[in-house]
Short mmCIF file of all heavy atoms in Angstrom, two decimals:
data_model
loop_
_atom_site.label_atom_id
_atom_site.label_comp_id
_atom_site.label_asym_id
_atom_site.label_seq_id
_atom_site.Cartn_x
_atom_site.Cartn_y
_atom_site.Cartn_z
N MET A 15 0.24 12.95 -16.75
CA MET A 15 0.27 12.38 -15.41
C MET A 15 -0.14 13.49 -14.43
O MET A 15 0.36 14.60 -14.47
CB MET A 15 1.66 11.86 -15.10
CG MET A 15 1.74 11.14 -13.78
SD MET A 15 3.34 10.36 -13.50
CE MET A 15 3.17 8.92 -14.51
N THR A 16 -1.09 13.19 -13.54
CA THR A 16 -1.56 14.18 -12.58
C THR A 16 -0.71 14.15 -11.32
O THR A 16 0.10 13.24 -11.12
CB THR A 16 -3.02 13.93 -12.21
OG1 THR A 16 -3.11 12.68 -11.56
CG2 THR A 16 -3.91 13.94 -13.45
N PHE A 17 -0.92 15.14 -10.46
CA PHE A 17 -0.17 15.21 -9.21
C PHE A 17 -0.46 14.00 -8.33
O PHE A 17 0.44 13.44 -7.72
CB PHE A 17 -0.54 16.50 -8.48
CG PHE A 17 0.10 16.62 -7.13
CD1 PHE A 17 1.46 16.87 -7.03
CD2 PHE A 17 -0.64 16.45 -5.97
CE1 PHE A 17 2.06 16.98 -5.79
CE2 PHE A 17 -0.04 16.56 -4.74
CZ PHE A 17 1.31 16.83 -4.64
N GLU A 18 -1.75 13.56 -8.26
CA GLU A 18 -2.10 12.43 -7.41
C GLU A 18 -1.42 11.15 -7.88
O GLU A 18 -0.98 10.35 -7.08
CB GLU A 18 -3.62 12.22 -7.38
CG GLU A 18 -4.37 13.31 -6.65
CD GLU A 18 -4.66 14.50 -7.55
OE1 GLU A 18 -4.60 14.34 -8.78
OE2 GLU A 18 -4.91 15.59 -7.03
N GLU A 19 -1.36 10.94 -9.20
CA GLU A 19 -0.71 9.74 -9.70
C GLU A 19 0.77 9.75 -9.36
O GLU A 19 1.33 8.73 -8.99
CB GLU A 19 -0.92 9.63 -11.21
CG GLU A 19 -2.36 9.36 -11.59
CD GLU A 19 -2.56 9.46 -13.09
OE1 GLU A 19 -1.69 10.00 -13.78
OE2 GLU A 19 -3.61 8.99 -13.54
N THR A 20 1.39 10.89 -9.46
CA THR A 20 2.81 10.98 -9.16
C THR A 20 3.05 10.74 -7.68
O THR A 20 3.93 9.96 -7.30
CB THR A 20 3.34 12.38 -9.54
OG1 THR A 20 3.08 12.58 -10.92
CG2 THR A 20 4.81 12.49 -9.27
N ARG A 21 2.24 11.36 -6.81
CA ARG A 21 2.39 11.16 -5.38
C ARG A 21 2.08 9.73 -4.98
O ARG A 21 2.78 9.12 -4.18
CB ARG A 21 1.48 12.12 -4.61
CG ARG A 21 1.58 11.99 -3.13
CD ARG A 21 0.97 13.19 -2.43
NE ARG A 21 0.80 12.98 -1.03
CZ ARG A 21 1.77 13.03 -0.13
NH1 ARG A 21 2.99 13.27 -0.53
NH2 ARG A 21 1.53 12.83 1.13
N GLY A 22 1.02 9.14 -5.58
CA GLY A 22 0.67 7.75 -5.29
C GLY A 22 1.76 6.79 -5.74
O GLY A 22 2.09 5.83 -5.04
N ALA A 23 2.32 7.05 -6.90
CA ALA A 23 3.40 6.18 -7.40
C ALA A 23 4.63 6.29 -6.50
O ALA A 23 5.31 5.30 -6.23
CB ALA A 23 3.74 6.55 -8.83
N ALA A 24 4.91 7.51 -6.03
CA ALA A 24 6.06 7.70 -5.14
C ALA A 24 5.85 6.98 -3.82
O ALA A 24 6.76 6.33 -3.30
CB ALA A 24 6.30 9.19 -4.90
N LEU A 25 4.63 7.05 -3.27
CA LEU A 25 4.34 6.35 -2.01
C LEU A 25 4.38 4.84 -2.20
O LEU A 25 4.82 4.11 -1.31
CB LEU A 25 2.99 6.79 -1.45
CG LEU A 25 2.92 8.24 -0.97
CD1 LEU A 25 1.50 8.60 -0.58
CD2 LEU A 25 3.86 8.46 0.20
N ALA A 26 3.91 4.35 -3.35
CA ALA A 26 3.97 2.92 -3.64
C ALA A 26 5.41 2.45 -3.77
O ALA A 26 5.78 1.38 -3.32
CB ALA A 26 3.18 2.60 -4.90
N ALA A 27 6.26 3.29 -4.38
CA ALA A 27 7.67 2.93 -4.53
C ALA A 27 8.37 2.87 -3.17
O ALA A 27 9.29 2.07 -2.98
CB ALA A 27 8.37 3.95 -5.44
N GLU A 28 7.92 3.70 -2.23
CA GLU A 28 8.50 3.68 -0.89
C GLU A 28 7.93 2.54 -0.03
O GLU A 28 8.40 2.32 1.08
CB GLU A 28 8.20 5.01 -0.18
CG GLU A 28 8.89 6.19 -0.80
CD GLU A 28 8.45 7.50 -0.16
OE1 GLU A 28 7.65 7.47 0.80
OE2 GLU A 28 8.90 8.55 -0.63
N GLY A 29 6.92 1.86 -0.54
CA GLY A 29 6.31 0.76 0.21
C GLY A 29 5.28 1.22 1.21
O GLY A 29 4.84 0.45 2.04
N ARG A 30 4.89 2.50 1.16
CA ARG A 30 3.90 3.03 2.09
C ARG A 30 2.47 2.82 1.61
O ARG A 30 1.54 2.96 2.38
CB ARG A 30 4.17 4.51 2.33
CG ARG A 30 5.53 4.71 3.00
CD ARG A 30 5.96 6.14 3.03
NE ARG A 30 5.00 6.96 3.75
CZ ARG A 30 5.07 8.29 3.79
NH1 ARG A 30 6.04 8.91 3.16
NH2 ARG A 30 4.20 8.97 4.45
N LEU A 31 2.30 2.52 0.35
CA LEU A 31 1.00 2.23 -0.23
C LEU A 31 1.12 0.97 -1.07
O LEU A 31 2.18 0.70 -1.65
CB LEU A 31 0.53 3.36 -1.14
CG LEU A 31 0.01 4.63 -0.51
CD1 LEU A 31 -0.37 5.64 -1.59
CD2 LEU A 31 -1.20 4.33 0.35
N PRO A 32 0.04 0.17 -1.15
CA PRO A 32 0.10 -0.98 -2.05
C PRO A 32 0.17 -0.50 -3.49
O PRO A 32 -0.36 0.56 -3.83
CB PRO A 32 -1.21 -1.72 -1.77
CG PRO A 32 -2.10 -0.75 -1.10
CD PRO A 32 -1.22 0.26 -0.43
N SER A 33 0.84 -1.27 -4.32
CA SER A 33 1.02 -0.87 -5.71
C SER A 33 -0.28 -0.96 -6.50
O SER A 33 -0.43 -0.31 -7.52
CB SER A 33 2.10 -1.71 -6.37
OG SER A 33 1.75 -3.08 -6.31
N GLU A 34 -1.21 -1.78 -6.03
CA GLU A 34 -2.48 -1.91 -6.73
C GLU A 34 -3.48 -0.87 -6.23
O GLU A 34 -3.41 -0.43 -5.10
CB GLU A 34 -3.06 -3.31 -6.52
CG GLU A 34 -3.41 -3.57 -5.07
CD GLU A 34 -3.83 -4.99 -4.82
OE1 GLU A 34 -3.05 -5.88 -5.16
OE2 GLU A 34 -4.92 -5.18 -4.29
N ARG A 35 -4.37 -0.48 -7.08
CA ARG A 35 -5.42 0.46 -6.71
C ARG A 35 -6.61 -0.31 -6.18
O ARG A 35 -6.95 -1.36 -6.69
CB ARG A 35 -5.84 1.31 -7.89
CG ARG A 35 -4.76 2.26 -8.30
CD ARG A 35 -5.24 3.12 -9.44
NE ARG A 35 -4.27 4.19 -9.61
CZ ARG A 35 -4.59 5.46 -9.52
NH1 ARG A 35 -5.83 5.81 -9.33
NH2 ARG A 35 -3.67 6.37 -9.65
N VAL A 36 -7.23 0.23 -5.15
CA VAL A 36 -8.38 -0.41 -4.53
C VAL A 36 -9.54 0.57 -4.62
O VAL A 36 -9.41 1.74 -4.24
CB VAL A 36 -8.09 -0.76 -3.06
CG1 VAL A 36 -9.31 -1.38 -2.41
CG2 VAL A 36 -6.90 -1.69 -2.96
N ALA A 37 -10.67 0.10 -5.12
CA ALA A 37 -11.85 0.95 -5.20
C ALA A 37 -12.38 1.21 -3.81
O ALA A 37 -12.22 0.40 -2.89
CB ALA A 37 -12.91 0.29 -6.07
N LEU A 38 -13.02 2.36 -3.63
CA LEU A 38 -13.54 2.75 -2.33
C LEU A 38 -14.54 1.74 -1.80
O LEU A 38 -14.52 1.39 -0.62
CB LEU A 38 -14.19 4.13 -2.41
CG LEU A 38 -14.76 4.68 -1.11
CD1 LEU A 38 -13.68 4.79 -0.05
CD2 LEU A 38 -15.41 6.03 -1.35
N VAL A 39 -15.38 1.21 -2.65
CA VAL A 39 -16.38 0.24 -2.20
C VAL A 39 -15.70 -1.05 -1.74
O VAL A 39 -16.12 -1.68 -0.76
CB VAL A 39 -17.42 -0.02 -3.31
CG1 VAL A 39 -16.81 -0.71 -4.50
CG2 VAL A 39 -18.60 -0.80 -2.76
N ASP A 40 -14.62 -1.44 -2.40
CA ASP A 40 -13.87 -2.63 -1.97
C ASP A 40 -13.19 -2.38 -0.62
O ASP A 40 -13.13 -3.26 0.23
CB ASP A 40 -12.83 -3.02 -3.01
CG ASP A 40 -13.46 -3.51 -4.29
OD1 ASP A 40 -14.60 -4.02 -4.23
OD2 ASP A 40 -12.81 -3.39 -5.35
N LEU A 41 -12.67 -1.18 -0.45
CA LEU A 41 -12.03 -0.83 0.82
C LEU A 41 -13.04 -0.86 1.97
O LEU A 41 -12.78 -1.41 3.03
CB LEU A 41 -11.38 0.54 0.72
CG LEU A 41 -10.73 1.07 1.98
CD1 LEU A 41 -9.58 0.17 2.41
CD2 LEU A 41 -10.25 2.49 1.79
N LEU A 42 -14.23 -0.28 1.74
CA LEU A 42 -15.28 -0.31 2.77
C LEU A 42 -15.72 -1.72 3.07
O LEU A 42 -15.97 -2.08 4.22
CB LEU A 42 -16.47 0.54 2.32
CG LEU A 42 -16.25 2.04 2.35
CD1 LEU A 42 -17.45 2.77 1.76
CD2 LEU A 42 -16.01 2.51 3.77
N ASP A 43 -15.82 -2.55 2.04
CA ASP A 43 -16.21 -3.95 2.23
C ASP A 43 -15.19 -4.67 3.10
O ASP A 43 -15.54 -5.41 4.02
CB ASP A 43 -16.35 -4.63 0.88
CG ASP A 43 -16.90 -6.04 1.02
OD1 ASP A 43 -17.91 -6.20 1.73
OD2 ASP A 43 -16.32 -6.96 0.42
N ARG A 44 -13.91 -4.46 2.84
CA ARG A 44 -12.86 -5.09 3.65
C ARG A 44 -12.88 -4.58 5.08
O ARG A 44 -12.72 -5.35 6.03
CB ARG A 44 -11.49 -4.82 3.03
CG ARG A 44 -11.25 -5.52 1.74
CD ARG A 44 -9.87 -5.22 1.22
NE ARG A 44 -9.73 -5.66 -0.16
CZ ARG A 44 -8.65 -5.46 -0.88
NH1 ARG A 44 -7.63 -4.81 -0.34
NH2 ARG A 44 -8.58 -5.88 -2.11
N LEU A 45 -13.08 -3.29 5.26
CA LEU A 45 -13.09 -2.71 6.61
C LEU A 45 -14.28 -3.22 7.42
O LEU A 45 -14.14 -3.58 8.59
CB LEU A 45 -13.10 -1.19 6.54
CG LEU A 45 -11.83 -0.53 6.05
CD1 LEU A 45 -12.02 0.96 5.94
CD2 LEU A 45 -10.67 -0.84 6.98
N LEU A 46 -15.46 -3.26 6.80
CA LEU A 46 -16.64 -3.70 7.53
C LEU A 46 -16.60 -5.20 7.80
O LEU A 46 -17.13 -5.66 8.81
CB LEU A 46 -17.91 -3.33 6.75
CG LEU A 46 -18.20 -1.84 6.72
CD1 LEU A 46 -19.42 -1.56 5.86
CD2 LEU A 46 -18.40 -1.28 8.11
N ALA A 47 -15.99 -5.98 6.93
CA ALA A 47 -15.88 -7.42 7.15
C ALA A 47 -14.99 -7.72 8.35
O ALA A 47 -15.28 -8.62 9.14
CB ALA A 47 -15.33 -8.11 5.90
N GLY A 48 -13.95 -6.96 8.52
CA GLY A 48 -13.03 -7.20 9.63
C GLY A 48 -13.31 -6.35 10.84
O GLY A 48 -12.92 -6.68 11.95
N GLY A 49 -13.99 -5.23 10.65
CA GLY A 49 -14.28 -4.32 11.75
C GLY A 49 -13.24 -3.23 11.86
O GLY A 49 -12.08 -3.42 11.50
N VAL A 50 -13.67 -2.09 12.34
CA VAL A 50 -12.80 -0.93 12.48
C VAL A 50 -13.03 -0.33 13.86
O VAL A 50 -14.16 -0.21 14.30
CB VAL A 50 -13.11 0.13 11.40
CG1 VAL A 50 -12.25 1.36 11.59
CG2 VAL A 50 -12.94 -0.43 10.02
N VAL A 51 -11.96 -0.01 14.55
CA VAL A 51 -12.05 0.68 15.82
C VAL A 51 -11.57 2.10 15.62
O VAL A 51 -10.48 2.33 15.09
CB VAL A 51 -11.21 0.00 16.91
CG1 VAL A 51 -11.23 0.81 18.20
CG2 VAL A 51 -11.67 -1.42 17.14
N ILE A 52 -12.42 3.03 15.99
CA ILE A 52 -12.09 4.45 15.89
C ILE A 52 -11.98 4.99 17.31
O ILE A 52 -12.89 4.80 18.12
CB ILE A 52 -13.16 5.22 15.11
CG1 ILE A 52 -13.27 4.67 13.69
CG2 ILE A 52 -12.84 6.71 15.09
CD1 ILE A 52 -14.43 5.24 12.91
N SER A 53 -10.87 5.60 17.62
CA SER A 53 -10.72 6.16 18.96
C SER A 53 -10.05 7.52 18.86
O SER A 53 -9.28 7.80 17.94
CB SER A 53 -9.89 5.24 19.86
OG SER A 53 -8.58 5.13 19.36
N GLY A 54 -10.38 8.36 19.81
CA GLY A 54 -9.79 9.68 19.82
C GLY A 54 -10.13 10.42 21.09
O GLY A 54 -11.06 10.07 21.81
N ASP A 55 -9.33 11.40 21.38
CA ASP A 55 -9.55 12.23 22.56
C ASP A 55 -9.50 13.69 22.13
O ASP A 55 -8.69 14.07 21.29
CB ASP A 55 -8.46 11.99 23.61
CG ASP A 55 -8.51 10.59 24.15
OD1 ASP A 55 -9.59 10.17 24.56
OD2 ASP A 55 -7.46 9.92 24.15
N LEU A 56 -10.38 14.47 22.72
CA LEU A 56 -10.44 15.90 22.44
C LEU A 56 -10.47 16.63 23.76
O LEU A 56 -11.29 16.32 24.64
CB LEU A 56 -11.70 16.23 21.63
CG LEU A 56 -11.96 17.70 21.36
CD1 LEU A 56 -10.90 18.26 20.42
CD2 LEU A 56 -13.33 17.90 20.80
N VAL A 57 -9.54 17.55 23.95
CA VAL A 57 -9.46 18.32 25.18
C VAL A 57 -9.50 19.80 24.81
O VAL A 57 -8.69 20.26 24.01
CB VAL A 57 -8.17 18.02 25.96
CG1 VAL A 57 -8.09 18.89 27.20
CG2 VAL A 57 -8.09 16.55 26.32
N LEU A 58 -10.47 20.50 25.38
CA LEU A 58 -10.56 21.94 25.20
C LEU A 58 -10.04 22.59 26.46
O LEU A 58 -10.50 22.30 27.57
CB LEU A 58 -12.00 22.37 24.95
CG LEU A 58 -12.66 21.80 23.70
CD1 LEU A 58 -14.11 22.26 23.62
CD2 LEU A 58 -11.92 22.22 22.45
N SER A 59 -9.06 23.47 26.31
CA SER A 59 -8.48 24.11 27.48
C SER A 59 -8.20 25.57 27.19
O SER A 59 -7.97 25.97 26.05
CB SER A 59 -7.20 23.40 27.92
OG SER A 59 -6.25 23.43 26.88
N ILE A 60 -8.23 26.34 28.26
CA ILE A 60 -7.89 27.76 28.18
C ILE A 60 -6.89 28.04 29.28
O ILE A 60 -7.10 27.67 30.44
CB ILE A 60 -9.14 28.65 28.35
CG1 ILE A 60 -10.12 28.40 27.19
CG2 ILE A 60 -8.75 30.12 28.42
CD1 ILE A 60 -11.41 29.16 27.31
N ALA A 61 -5.78 28.64 28.93
CA ALA A 61 -4.73 29.01 29.88
C ALA A 61 -4.27 27.78 30.67
O ALA A 61 -4.14 27.82 31.90
CB ALA A 61 -5.19 30.12 30.81
N ASP A 62 -4.05 26.68 29.95
CA ASP A 62 -3.59 25.42 30.55
C ASP A 62 -4.56 24.85 31.57
O ASP A 62 -4.17 24.08 32.46
CB ASP A 62 -2.22 25.58 31.19
CG ASP A 62 -1.11 25.57 30.15
OD1 ASP A 62 -1.35 25.05 29.05
OD2 ASP A 62 -0.02 26.08 30.46
N ILE A 63 -5.82 25.22 31.50
CA ILE A 63 -6.85 24.63 32.36
C ILE A 63 -7.80 23.85 31.46
O ILE A 63 -8.43 24.43 30.57
CB ILE A 63 -7.62 25.71 33.15
CG1 ILE A 63 -6.67 26.48 34.04
CG2 ILE A 63 -8.76 25.08 33.95
CD1 ILE A 63 -7.29 27.68 34.72
N ASP A 64 -7.86 22.53 31.68
CA ASP A 64 -8.74 21.69 30.88
C ASP A 64 -10.19 21.98 31.27
O ASP A 64 -10.57 21.87 32.43
CB ASP A 64 -8.44 20.22 31.11
CG ASP A 64 -7.05 19.85 30.59
OD1 ASP A 64 -6.50 20.64 29.81
OD2 ASP A 64 -6.56 18.77 30.96
N LEU A 65 -10.97 22.35 30.28
CA LEU A 65 -12.38 22.65 30.52
C LEU A 65 -13.28 21.50 30.10
O LEU A 65 -14.24 21.17 30.81
CB LEU A 65 -12.79 23.91 29.76
CG LEU A 65 -12.03 25.18 30.13
CD1 LEU A 65 -12.46 26.32 29.24
CD2 LEU A 65 -12.25 25.52 31.59
N VAL A 66 -12.99 20.89 28.96
CA VAL A 66 -13.84 19.81 28.43
C VAL A 66 -12.93 18.71 27.91
O VAL A 66 -11.95 18.99 27.22
CB VAL A 66 -14.74 20.32 27.29
CG1 VAL A 66 -15.54 19.18 26.70
CG2 VAL A 66 -15.64 21.43 27.77
N ARG A 67 -13.25 17.49 28.26
CA ARG A 67 -12.52 16.33 27.73
C ARG A 67 -13.55 15.37 27.16
O ARG A 67 -14.48 14.97 27.84
CB ARG A 67 -11.70 15.66 28.80
CG ARG A 67 -11.14 14.32 28.33
CD ARG A 67 -10.25 13.65 29.33
NE ARG A 67 -9.02 13.37 28.62
CZ ARG A 67 -7.82 13.66 29.04
NH1 ARG A 67 -7.66 14.22 30.19
NH2 ARG A 67 -6.76 13.37 28.34
N ILE A 68 -13.35 15.00 25.90
CA ILE A 68 -14.24 14.06 25.23
C ILE A 68 -13.38 12.90 24.73
O ILE A 68 -12.42 13.11 24.00
CB ILE A 68 -14.97 14.73 24.05
CG1 ILE A 68 -15.82 15.90 24.55
CG2 ILE A 68 -15.82 13.72 23.31
CD1 ILE A 68 -16.41 16.73 23.44
N SER A 69 -13.75 11.70 25.14
CA SER A 69 -13.08 10.49 24.67
C SER A 69 -14.08 9.70 23.83
O SER A 69 -15.20 9.47 24.27
CB SER A 69 -12.60 9.64 25.83
OG SER A 69 -11.60 10.32 26.55
N ILE A 70 -13.65 9.33 22.65
CA ILE A 70 -14.53 8.61 21.73
C ILE A 70 -13.91 7.26 21.42
O ILE A 70 -12.74 7.17 21.05
CB ILE A 70 -14.72 9.40 20.42
CG1 ILE A 70 -15.35 10.75 20.72
CG2 ILE A 70 -15.55 8.61 19.44
CD1 ILE A 70 -15.37 11.67 19.51
N ARG A 71 -14.68 6.21 21.60
CA ARG A 71 -14.28 4.86 21.21
C ARG A 71 -15.47 4.26 20.48
O ARG A 71 -16.57 4.18 21.02
CB ARG A 71 -13.97 3.96 22.40
CG ARG A 71 -12.98 4.54 23.38
CD ARG A 71 -11.56 4.47 22.85
NE ARG A 71 -10.60 4.92 23.84
CZ ARG A 71 -10.14 6.17 23.93
NH1 ARG A 71 -10.59 7.08 23.11
NH2 ARG A 71 -9.26 6.52 24.82
N ALA A 72 -15.26 3.84 19.25
CA ALA A 72 -16.35 3.28 18.45
C ALA A 72 -15.85 2.05 17.69
O ALA A 72 -14.72 2.03 17.20
CB ALA A 72 -16.88 4.31 17.47
N LEU A 73 -16.68 1.04 17.64
CA LEU A 73 -16.41 -0.16 16.85
C LEU A 73 -17.44 -0.20 15.73
O LEU A 73 -18.64 -0.17 16.00
CB LEU A 73 -16.52 -1.42 17.70
CG LEU A 73 -16.47 -2.75 16.95
CD1 LEU A 73 -15.13 -2.94 16.27
CD2 LEU A 73 -16.77 -3.89 17.88
N ILE A 74 -16.96 -0.23 14.52
CA ILE A 74 -17.84 -0.29 13.36
C ILE A 74 -17.56 -1.59 12.63
O ILE A 74 -16.44 -1.86 12.22
CB ILE A 74 -17.59 0.90 12.42
CG1 ILE A 74 -17.86 2.20 13.17
CG2 ILE A 74 -18.47 0.80 11.18
CD1 ILE A 74 -17.48 3.43 12.39
N THR A 75 -18.59 -2.42 12.52
CA THR A 75 -18.45 -3.69 11.84
C THR A 75 -19.80 -4.10 11.30
O THR A 75 -20.82 -3.53 11.66
CB THR A 75 -17.88 -4.77 12.78
OG1 THR A 75 -17.61 -5.96 12.04
CG2 THR A 75 -18.85 -5.07 13.91
N SER A 76 -19.81 -5.08 10.45
CA SER A 76 -21.06 -5.59 9.91
C SER A 76 -21.51 -6.79 10.73
O SER A 76 -20.70 -7.51 11.31
CB SER A 76 -20.89 -5.97 8.44
OG SER A 76 -19.94 -7.00 8.33
N ILE A 77 -22.82 -6.97 10.80
CA ILE A 77 -23.39 -8.11 11.52
C ILE A 77 -24.32 -8.82 10.55
O ILE A 77 -25.15 -8.20 9.91
CB ILE A 77 -24.19 -7.64 12.75
CG1 ILE A 77 -23.26 -6.95 13.73
CG2 ILE A 77 -24.89 -8.81 13.41
CD1 ILE A 77 -23.97 -6.35 14.93
N ARG A 78 -24.12 -10.11 10.46
CA ARG A 78 -24.98 -10.90 9.58
C ARG A 78 -26.32 -11.13 10.27
O ARG A 78 -26.36 -11.46 11.45
CB ARG A 78 -24.34 -12.24 9.25
CG ARG A 78 -23.12 -12.09 8.43
CD ARG A 78 -22.59 -13.44 8.01
NE ARG A 78 -21.32 -13.25 7.36
CZ ARG A 78 -20.24 -13.96 7.64
NH1 ARG A 78 -20.28 -14.91 8.54
NH2 ARG A 78 -19.12 -13.73 7.02
N GLU A 79 -27.37 -10.97 9.52
CA GLU A 79 -28.70 -11.14 10.08
C GLU A 79 -28.99 -12.60 10.40
O GLU A 79 -29.76 -12.91 11.30
CB GLU A 79 -29.74 -10.61 9.09
CG GLU A 79 -31.12 -10.54 9.67
CD GLU A 79 -32.08 -9.87 8.72
OE1 GLU A 79 -31.66 -8.95 8.01
OE2 GLU A 79 -33.23 -10.29 8.67
N SER A 80 -28.34 -13.52 9.71
CA SER A 80 -28.61 -14.94 9.93
C SER A 80 -28.04 -15.44 11.25
O SER A 80 -28.45 -16.47 11.76
CB SER A 80 -28.04 -15.77 8.78
OG SER A 80 -26.64 -15.60 8.72
N GLU A 81 -27.08 -14.71 11.83
CA GLU A 81 -26.51 -15.10 13.10
C GLU A 81 -27.05 -14.19 14.19
O GLU A 81 -26.73 -13.01 14.25
CB GLU A 81 -24.99 -14.97 13.05
CG GLU A 81 -24.35 -15.85 12.00
CD GLU A 81 -22.86 -15.61 11.90
OE1 GLU A 81 -22.30 -14.90 12.74
OE2 GLU A 81 -22.26 -16.14 10.96
N PRO A 82 -27.87 -14.73 15.08
CA PRO A 82 -28.42 -13.88 16.14
C PRO A 82 -27.30 -13.40 17.07
O PRO A 82 -26.38 -14.14 17.39
CB PRO A 82 -29.40 -14.80 16.88
CG PRO A 82 -29.07 -16.17 16.46
CD PRO A 82 -28.34 -16.10 15.17
N TYR A 83 -27.39 -12.16 17.46
CA TYR A 83 -26.36 -11.56 18.29
C TYR A 83 -27.04 -10.73 19.38
O TYR A 83 -27.81 -9.84 19.09
CB TYR A 83 -25.45 -10.66 17.45
CG TYR A 83 -24.34 -10.03 18.22
CD1 TYR A 83 -23.22 -10.77 18.57
CD2 TYR A 83 -24.41 -8.71 18.62
CE1 TYR A 83 -22.18 -10.19 19.28
CE2 TYR A 83 -23.39 -8.12 19.33
CZ TYR A 83 -22.27 -8.87 19.66
OH TYR A 83 -21.25 -8.30 20.36
N ASP A 84 -26.77 -11.08 20.60
CA ASP A 84 -27.34 -10.35 21.72
C ASP A 84 -26.20 -9.65 22.44
O ASP A 84 -25.33 -10.30 23.03
CB ASP A 84 -28.07 -11.31 22.66
CG ASP A 84 -28.80 -10.57 23.76
OD1 ASP A 84 -28.83 -9.32 23.73
OD2 ASP A 84 -29.34 -11.24 24.65
N VAL A 85 -26.18 -8.35 22.39
CA VAL A 85 -25.09 -7.57 22.97
C VAL A 85 -25.02 -7.78 24.48
O VAL A 85 -23.94 -7.89 25.07
CB VAL A 85 -25.28 -6.07 22.65
CG1 VAL A 85 -24.22 -5.24 23.34
CG2 VAL A 85 -25.26 -5.85 21.16
N LEU A 86 -26.15 -7.87 25.15
CA LEU A 86 -26.17 -7.99 26.60
C LEU A 86 -25.82 -9.39 27.08
O LEU A 86 -25.47 -9.58 28.24
CB LEU A 86 -27.55 -7.60 27.13
CG LEU A 86 -27.98 -6.16 26.80
CD1 LEU A 86 -29.38 -5.91 27.29
CD2 LEU A 86 -27.00 -5.17 27.40
N ASP A 87 -25.89 -10.38 26.21
CA ASP A 87 -25.62 -11.76 26.60
C ASP A 87 -24.16 -12.13 26.47
O ASP A 87 -23.74 -13.18 26.93
CB ASP A 87 -26.47 -12.71 25.74
CG ASP A 87 -26.50 -14.11 26.34
OD1 ASP A 87 -26.42 -14.22 27.57
OD2 ASP A 87 -26.62 -15.07 25.56
N GLN A 88 -23.33 -11.27 25.88
CA GLN A 88 -21.92 -11.59 25.67
C GLN A 88 -21.15 -11.43 26.98
O GLN A 88 -21.44 -10.53 27.77
CB GLN A 88 -21.32 -10.65 24.62
CG GLN A 88 -21.94 -10.85 23.25
CD GLN A 88 -21.68 -12.25 22.71
OE1 GLN A 88 -20.56 -12.75 22.81
NE2 GLN A 88 -22.70 -12.87 22.16
N PRO A 89 -20.16 -12.31 27.22
CA PRO A 89 -19.36 -12.19 28.46
C PRO A 89 -18.45 -11.00 28.42
O PRO A 89 -18.06 -10.50 27.47
CB PRO A 89 -18.54 -13.48 28.50
CG PRO A 89 -18.57 -14.02 27.11
CD PRO A 89 -19.77 -13.44 26.43
#
């Protein structure tokens, strides 16, 4: 038994991970089907003075080609 299996089994026993294993391609398929929002903030400061602030908000999802989608036409 490897360290990852032991840690994964312990997390599954705690209910923090599903007991079944999911392949990476299946996980990506589920994420893209439902969409994923990634957000984050980065602040660079020196001596408690904020110099640079970067805010990132991204929506990653799949779009079917058969359904026309116009980003500018949405309310």
Side-chain angles (χ1 to χ4, degrees):
M15 186 174 282
T16 64
F17 176 72
E18 291 85 18
E19 292 172 345
T20 303
R21 180 164 168 77
L25 292 174
E28 294 174 2
R30 296 169 59 188
L31 284 178
S33 59
E34 65 187 55
R35 290 182 169 239
V36 178
L38 181 60
V39 67
D40 293 333
L41 177 63
L42 287 174
D43 186 48
R44 290 181 192 176
L45 290 176
L46 290 177
V50 177
V51 175
I52 299 172
S53 64
D55 295 309
L56 175 68
V57 177
L58 298 177
S59 60
I60 296 176
D62 282 338
I63 299 172
D64 294 344
L65 300 176
V66 177
R67 170 177 233 130
I68 300 172
S69 295
I70 299 171
R71 308 284 185 267
L73 171 64
I74 300 173
T75 187
S76 62
I77 298 175
R78 293 186 188 132
E79 189 174 325
S80 62
E81 299 175 9
Y83 181 77
D84 186 6
V85 175
L86 300 176
D87 195 31
Q88 295 297 316

